[in-house]
Amino acid sequence: MTTRDIISWNTVIAGNAQNGLHEDALAMVREMGGAGLKPDIFTLSAILPIFAQYVDVDKGREIHGYVIRYGFDKDLYVASSLINMYSRCARVEDSIRVFKITRQRDTISWNSVIAGCVQNGMFDEGLRLFRQMLKDNVIPGSVSFSSIMPACAHLTTLNLGKQLHGYIMRCGFDDNVFISSSLVDMYAKCGHIRTAGWIFGGIKGRDMVSWTAMIMGCALHGYAEDAISLFEQMKLEGIRPNHVAITAILTACSHAGMIDEGRRYFDRMTEEYGIRPGLEHYAAMADLYSRKGKLNDAYQLISTMTTPTGTIWSLLLSACRVHKNVDLAEKVASKIFEVDPENIGARVLLSNIYANDGRWKEAAKVRMTMRNMGIRKNPACSWIEVKNKIHTFIADDKSHPLHDEINIALCELQEKMELAGYVADTSEVLHDVDDEQKKYLLYGHSERRAIAFGIMSTPAGTTIRVIKNIRICVDCHTAIKLISKIVGREIVVRDNSRFHHFRDGECSCGEYW
DNA sequence: ATAGGGTTAG
């Protein structure tokens, strides 16, 4: 073209930006400047996504400065690009600030800020904004739903997820693959693996993310065989797994103790799928070996990593506790404190390992170090949703309004359990107290209180769904199996890594967890 | 005539 105006420049810049030719797009902006034309709102909203993708907040902020100098900050397009850029760069506060000072808002700018919150783990804030959007009479679009659904998945707020699902169907968005994948994930994470499978089966044009969400769902529920067959089917359909899909299949193997299968996927991932093992893959493998009791194999594997993290060593440390290997535990713990001195979980674990071995002095020393460092552990807690309200239980916390009734219900259950042959397993109670007190401590475990509350506040036959922030202890696992049989209920417990479905005295994990 | 937002993952 002999004469180019701002529109012709912008058209080509956006074309490059949208097709991955980022450097060319940016070079053209400079060239355009050389030709005496200054970037306008179209130019800026076309190039801001580049800095969002490359997580380059310095460049993004430069653009923001330019935006303010030229008074472009009132523009909706520029605002949503800025909101998106800041949240992709993990600066949610900045992105919310841009949103708040933008008076004029539309669905897209709302979506940008909501997605930003959710992607950065601020689920409650995301939900609050979503509700505010509806209150302000802004019509949600399909993107609004696929942005908010992960919040329900992470918070395991099944009822809210279901309500949104209904809303999605009324809008006719249920054929959208982004939304269906997020629904598969939400239902699986909320314990409804069958509903997840049903939605997955109905997706037309499944993509890799849909498959991965379903595979991960199976992994979470311990259905490794299903996960493997889905993974193989996906490949047959010509879909190449990415690093997340591989993480999902390794997690599935790990939760079912399938060492050989897991090892095979891990060994072949680079040549078969062109993906180099990342932290998440090492973590899954370390977990697989650890849970299986192959502590030395886990140690070897982690040692081959260039920079193992505290999190990965911790997987092995918790296996040292289960398999009562104090020597290795000490070695592993020192590795953890080297890279991550603040690691609370590791110190708690180490102290418990000592306690379990009767080494109360060493255990107390670790606790003392923690106190001196001013760190406290998060308390174990369980929660259950009844009538749209989430009830939280912490061991020894008496604040629940039905505290006394729950205690009575637990006593009655305890009697029936003992009649059925239950003997409290106090071996995991790591306090230097006598057996009678140990039994009392077990009995106060948060998941039991949550389950007792669930049984008394729902009609007979209703499935009880409880979520817990740490692993179920051996004794509670035994107790819940019996409870499911005594009260004739299905009890679904999600701990920090997977689901347990208790029914008629059995658990779906088959004692492997 | 040109521009902005989304699903899986320790």
Side-chain angles (χ1 to χ4, degrees):
Chain A
M1 289 166 75
T2 45
T3 46
R4 300 158 174 166
D5 64 4
I6 183 90
I7 295 173
S8 24
W9 279 105
N10 283 346
T11 307
V12 186
I13 289 167
N16 279 294
Q18 286 164 2
N19 289 282
L21 302 167
H22 302 143
E23 283 310 320
D24 302 70
L26 297 176
M28 280 182 152
V29 177
R30 287 189 286 271
E31 212 184 313
M32 180 177 90
L37 289 167
K38 283 185 170 155
D40 67 358
I41 49 176
F42 288 85
T43 328
L44 299 173
S45 33
I47 60 164
L48 270 167
I50 297 175
F51 306 123
Q53 192 179 328
Y54 288 133
V55 193
D56 189 342
V57 74
D58 294 330
K59 294 262 167 50
R61 230 199 296 266
E62 264 178 50
I63 306 284
H64 192 182
Y66 182 93
V67 163
I68 292 169
R69 284 199 297 283
Y70 284 83
F72 292 154
D73 49 344
K74 306 281 180 298
D75 183 73
L76 265 177
Y77 287 74
V78 172
S80 14
S81 314
L82 282 170
I83 294 166
N84 184 245
M85 182 276 296
Y86 280 123
S87 62
R88 282 249 137 85
C89 298
R91 305 293 169 99
V92 215
E93 293 78 18
D94 292 323
S95 95
I96 292 175
R97 197 178 318 141
V98 173
F99 176 76
K100 286 203 169 140
I101 60 175
T102 315
R103 278 280 145 257
Q104 201 200 348
R105 294 160 184 175
D106 67 356
T107 302
I108 295 186
S109 51
W110 276 102
N111 290 347
S112 307
V113 72
I114 291 169
C117 288
V118 175
Q119 287 162 356
N120 286 283
M122 295 169 58
F123 307 119
D124 290 314
E125 183 64 5
L127 284 168
R128 204 186 61 74
L129 287 163
F130 185 84
R131 291 197 177 95
Q132 189 63 49
M133 173 178 78
L134 300 184
K135 228 188 244 170
D136 290 3
N137 292 318
V138 176
I139 311 288
S142 60
V143 178
S144 315
F145 291 105
S146 47
S147 304
I148 197 63
M149 197 55 73
C152 299
H154 284 278
L155 297 170
T156 50
T157 49
L158 176 65
N159 280 317
L160 184 55
K162 277 185 179 168
Q163 286 179 43
L164 287 167
H165 188 186
Y167 200 160
I168 286 165
M169 295 205 288
R170 289 195 296 281
C171 293
F173 290 147
D174 41 340
D175 60 350
N176 176 302
V177 67
F178 286 81
I179 292 180
S180 340
S181 303
S182 73
L183 281 171
V184 167
D185 181 57
M186 185 276 292
Y187 279 112
K189 287 213 171 79
C190 289
H192 282 243
I193 185 68
R194 280 210 301 274
T195 314
W198 175 74
I199 291 172
F200 176 77
I203 302 179
K204 288 186 220 38
R206 287 166 207 149
D207 61 7
M208 204 251 313
V209 176
S210 327
W211 284 95
T212 304
M214 193 65 230
I215 293 168
M216 200 64 206
C218 291
L220 214 54
H221 288 265
Y223 302 139
E225 252 114 59
D226 294 321
I228 289 174
S229 89
L230 282 164
F231 187 82
E232 295 303 321
Q233 217 176 313
M234 170 177 85
K235 286 195 292 181
L236 285 177
E237 294 197 9
I239 297 175
R240 264 175 86 90
N242 72 350
H243 68 114
V244 185
I246 309 224
T247 308
I249 195 67
L250 293 178
T251 306
C253 294
S254 160
H255 286 178
M258 299 168 81
I259 291 239
D260 298 335
E261 290 80 355
R263 182 84 224 185
R264 204 166 56 232
Y265 283 119
F266 184 79
D267 286 341
R268 288 189 186 167
M269 59 185 279
T270 306
E271 57 170 322
E272 213 164 318
Y273 315 116
I275 296 161
R276 290 240 315 271
L279 274 180
E280 63 275 41
H281 307 109
Y282 276 103
M285 288 306 290
D287 195 44
L288 174 51
Y289 284 131
S290 297
R291 282 174 191 268
K292 198 81 184 184
K294 308 252 182 205
L295 304 188
N296 289 323
D297 288 330
Y299 189 87
Q300 290 300 322
L301 179 87
I302 300 174
S303 304
T304 63
M305 297 177 62
T306 40
T307 46
T309 61
T311 316
I312 292 188
W313 282 120
S314 297
L315 295 166
L316 177 53
L317 187 61
S318 78
C320 290
R321 183 194 149 177
V322 175
H323 296 96
K324 309 199 189 331
N325 188 331
V326 187
D327 292 339
L328 186 58
E330 288 181 319
K331 203 159 128 191
V332 170
S334 70
K335 295 265 188 198
I336 297 175
F337 302 147
E338 244 170 61
V339 293
D340 183 9
E342 301 270 291
N343 196 316
I344 309 169
R347 291 191 194 270
V348 173
L349 263 172
L350 184 63
S351 137
N352 286 350
I353 289 167
Y354 282 135
N356 205 352
D357 201 39
R359 290 156 74 170
W360 304 110
K361 256 196 201 136
E362 274 110 325
K365 214 174 118 191
V366 177
R367 296 271 173 179
M368 190 63 86
T369 317
M370 283 174 67
R371 211 162 304 150
N372 292 340
M373 289 173 78
I375 50 184
R376 296 194 60 177
K377 70 170 187 134
N378 279 327
C381 97
S382 299
W383 59 99
I384 181 170
E385 193 175 342
V386 172
K387 296 194 187 85
N388 283 324
K389 193 175 177 320
I390 293 177
H391 299 257
T392 308
F393 296 88
I394 300 167
D396 304 329
D397 173 31
K398 301 176 176 60
S399 67
H400 195 276
L402 293 180
H403 178 79
D404 295 336
E405 286 88 337
I406 292 169
N407 265 353
I408 295 167
L410 273 172
C411 272
E412 286 172 8
L413 266 176
Q414 189 86 5
E415 276 174 28
K416 289 182 188 159
M417 281 156 61
E418 280 168 8
L419 280 175
Y422 165 78
V423 181
D425 175 0
T426 52
S427 67
E428 296 284 313
V429 180
L430 305 174
H431 294 276
D432 197 7
V433 293
D434 66 38
D435 277 359
E436 204 45 46
Q437 263 177 299
K438 282 186 178 177
K439 259 166 82 176
Y440 177 75
L441 287 171
L442 278 173
Y443 170 96
H445 276 184
S446 62
E447 58 268 53
R448 294 201 203 183
R449 315 187 70 81
I451 289 169
F453 171 70
I455 293 170
M456 42 193 269
S457 42
T458 55
T462 315
T463 299
I464 306 286
R465 298 173 189 281
V466 169
I467 304 155
K468 192 177 190 305
N469 66 344
I470 58 171
R471 264 179 75 166
I472 316 180
C473 80
V474 181
D475 184 67
C476 282
H477 195 261
T478 312
I480 300 169
K481 282 194 288 188
L482 278 168
I483 295 173
S484 75
K485 192 173 176 131
I486 292 167
V487 300
R489 302 250 201 152
E490 189 174 349
I491 301 173
V492 182
V493 181
R494 197 200 73 178
D495 66 11
N496 52 350
S497 72
R498 62 165 296 161
F499 278 96
H500 296 261
H501 294 256
F502 298 92
R503 177 191 258 163
D504 200 28
E506 301 284 323
C507 178
S508 62
C509 75
E511 304 308 299
Y512 185 83
W513 43 291

